[in-house]
Amino acid sequence: MGRRWRDGRGELVVHGGEGPSVRVPLEIATSYRARTKGLLGRDSVDGAILLSPASGVHTFRMRIPIDVAYLDRHLRVIAVRTMRPGRLGMPRLRARHVVEADAGVMGAWGVREGARVEVVAGSGGGL
């Protein structure tokens, strides 16, 4: 079940919570350059950013605390952590993708361990 996205924009759809699915604006970073840059130098995130492939992250040189969701190859959330700037996150062995967002927002979206998400690529990003 290999997924191939390109750098660009799309939506993160969170399934499995009570009520309807939640749709969040998503930046997709799949190239080495886009993944390396990630959220560095930003003061906030408009929605979330997907880093793929990725199994771990760090917050060195970041200005803001972030929520990090580790996804397996089926886009099921295997862990969610909040990280302050200047930290090194533990890599997750089963993680294939990572979603980052402003600290505190993932809980409101229903992103928690066991939840399933979907990536809908928009213009500039594809499957």
Side-chain angles (χ1 to χ4, degrees):
M1 184 181 277
R3 288 176 169 73
R4 299 259 185 230
W5 298 290
R6 292 188 306 258
D7 292 347
R9 295 198 124 334
E11 284 187 319
L12 180 73
V13 182
V14 183
H15 302 285
E18 294 113 28
S21 298
V22 175
R23 299 178 85 84
V24 177
L26 182 68
E27 182 179 334
I28 301 169
T30 60
S31 69
Y32 176 78
R33 184 178 188 150
R35 285 184 324 222
T36 302
K37 183 170 191 238
L39 298 176
L40 294 177
R42 298 190 198 185
D43 293 321
S44 66
V45 185
D46 177 26
I49 184 171
L50 170 75
L51 307 174
S52 179
S55 62
V57 297
H58 68 82
T59 57
F60 300 124
R61 299 187 317 147
M62 291 184 87
R63 299 176 181 171
I64 57 173
I66 59 171
D67 281 350
V68 179
Y70 299 88
L71 311 177
D72 68 11
R73 65 187 180 118
H74 301 291
L75 301 182
R76 189 158 304 271
V77 178
I78 57 176
V80 179
R81 299 290 180 262
T82 299
M83 294 178 63
R84 295 184 316 218
R87 302 288 188 238
L88 177 62
M90 294 274 300
R92 306 291 167 174
L93 293 178
R94 293 185 350 230
R96 298 295 180 265
H97 319 280
V98 173
V99 176
E100 298 176 343
D102 283 326
V105 300
M106 286 195 184
W109 296 341
V111 177
R112 56 186 51 86
E113 190 173 330
R116 189 176 62 79
V117 301
E118 177 184 356
V119 174
V120 179
S123 60
L127 287 177

